[in-house]
Amino acid sequence: MPELPEVETIVRQLRPQLVGQTFRNPRLFHTDVLRGVRPARFVAALHNARVGSVTRRAKHIVIRIQDRDRVVIQPRMTGALLVYERRLSAEQRRYAVLQVTLPGRRYLVYRDVRRLGTISLLDAEAWTTYTDRIGPEPLSPKFTASCLETRMRRTRQAIKKALMDQRLLAGVGNIYANEALFRAQIDPSRPADGLSRPECRRLHRAVRSVLRAAVDAGGTTIRDYRTSTGDPGSFQHVLQVYGRGGEPCVRCGTRLTTTHSIDARSTTFCFRCQGPG
DNA sequence: ACGAGGTCCTGCGAGC
DNA sequence: TGCTCGCAGGACCTCG
């Protein structure tokens, strides 16, 4: 679930709470979330590890420890990274995957109801390989309209699917792909390599503006997403298309259409405002 | 190279 | 009430 704005929100909140702190007594309740590292090695690596930095890359939370390794958390649909000020209640413990004790009797907890999320432990070399396979950060100043155009031209896939392809562009998932395409007034099913230059410029502006607005709102909470304090985001209140199938378009009043024809993911759009180009 | 579909998991709401 | 079914914000894989 968490897309770029949600992960960015979590990271901004966690950073001042974690940087410089030392992890103690890691407890791993479910080992099936680990990728490429065995439970015993992972737990040993976290114990007494000092946090150097907390950053975001695409939809990943990246915690650098011991000036060497990176704990890379990908929350996917239902993962959440929370700091608790006291011992966990039974309800809080229910979906806990990983718990780490922080100074001051606080606890860092990764919880994930569906456990589709993943955790890996990467050294510098493995991290470089990993991050090099992911596309550019859309909010980076280096990400220009021509950068987006070059990337989208690489595929004939539907533009909505291309936007969500992490190799082409980092951090955009279903919600923000829908919203950006509406803002840019582009039909989600159009082949990505068929967009004109002005359309690419509109899409570039739309992607960046919707992501920035969502970061400012603390992300979008449909069901599971919570910030590190356990609070919901607020961008769900200003979504223009996602989750609004059958409701009137905010621009023209036409009933919004929802389809599952693109990559079997729900796509909501206005067939009038986002007509075939 | 592409699309379709299955897989990892659990919860929830709709419908019967 | 209680059951089954389909769906859910992601990403990876195989198959044809």
Side-chain angles (χ1 to χ4, degrees):
Chain A
M1 72 143 127
E3 305 181 34
L4 184 155
E6 290 75 30
V7 176
E8 181 65 27
T9 299
I10 292 167
V11 163
R12 286 183 186 182
Q13 290 182 343
L14 284 179
R15 188 176 290 135
Q17 302 201 71
L18 296 187
V19 171
Q21 307 293 320
T22 299
F23 289 157
R24 310 274 184 205
N25 299 319
R27 295 180 64 189
L28 187 65
F29 303 110
H30 296 274
T31 58
D32 56 1
V33 301
L34 293 184
R35 292 293 181 277
V37 58
R38 288 219 278 265
R41 197 175 93 72
F42 178 75
V43 168
L46 286 199
H47 187 55
N48 292 333
R50 184 183 175 278
V51 176
S53 65
V54 180
T55 55
R56 178 191 61 76
R57 169 73 172 121
K59 304 172 189 173
H60 308 269
I61 300 151
V62 183
I63 302 173
R64 190 134 187 245
I65 55 171
Q66 301 297 86
D67 295 325
R68 185 181 60 230
D69 294 330
R70 287 171 175 84
V71 179
V72 179
I73 301 176
Q74 185 173 35
R76 300 246 177 116
M77 305 282 252
T78 54
L81 199 56
L82 304 146
V83 173
Y84 292 109
E85 305 291 332
R86 52 182 62 84
R87 288 177 65 95
L88 308 202
S89 66
E91 175 61 25
Q92 289 165 340
R93 190 176 301 248
R94 188 161 174 217
Y95 298 109
V97 168
L98 174 68
Q99 171 186 307
V100 180
T101 304
L102 298 169
R105 292 186 179 181
R106 292 174 304 137
Y107 300 90
L108 175 68
V109 173
Y110 175 66
R111 60 163 263 158
D112 191 346
V113 172
R114 287 173 69 184
R115 290 205 313 284
L116 294 172
T118 62
I119 302 177
S120 41
L121 181 70
L122 304 180
D123 62 19
E125 191 185 346
W127 168 249
T128 300
T129 304
Y130 192 89
T131 191
D132 282 354
R133 288 189 187 144
I134 304 172
E137 288 290 332
L139 293 183
S140 160
K142 286 187 284 187
F143 181 68
T144 61
S146 71
C147 179
L148 178 133
E149 185 179 345
T150 304
R151 299 231 147 212
M152 293 301 122
R153 289 270 161 85
R154 288 186 194 172
T155 179
R156 245 181 298 173
Q157 305 254 21
I159 181 62
K160 186 191 166 226
K161 193 175 181 208
L163 279 180
M164 293 167 62
D165 187 332
Q166 299 301 295
R167 295 167 298 187
L168 296 176
L169 182 61
V172 176
N174 202 25
I175 293 176
Y176 300 110
N178 277 291
E179 294 299 311
L181 286 162
F182 176 77
R183 289 185 179 212
Q185 295 177 52
I186 293 169
D187 180 343
S189 65
R190 292 263 307 282
D193 64 357
L195 295 194
S196 68
R197 181 152 296 178
E199 286 172 328
C200 286
R201 263 193 233 111
R202 291 209 312 267
L203 188 55
H204 174 259
R205 284 180 62 95
V207 166
R208 286 163 62 99
S209 70
V210 76
L211 291 176
R212 273 195 297 258
V215 169
D216 290 345
T220 302
T221 297
I222 302 297
R223 183 180 293 170
D224 298 277
Y225 164 68
R226 292 294 182 275
T227 71
S228 72
T229 55
D231 297 314
S234 66
F235 200 69
Q236 64 276 10
H237 302 303
V238 291
L239 294 173
Q240 295 182 309
V241 285
Y242 181 83
R244 296 193 62 243
E247 295 178 36
C249 171
V250 296
R251 283 186 76 246
C252 75
T254 303
R255 279 165 62 90
L256 296 175
T257 305
T258 295
T259 170
H260 286 81
S261 62
I262 302 170
D263 202 28
R265 311 291 303 283
S266 78
T267 300
T268 302
F269 67 105
C270 174
F271 71 80
R272 189 160 162 197
C273 296
Q274 298 169 265

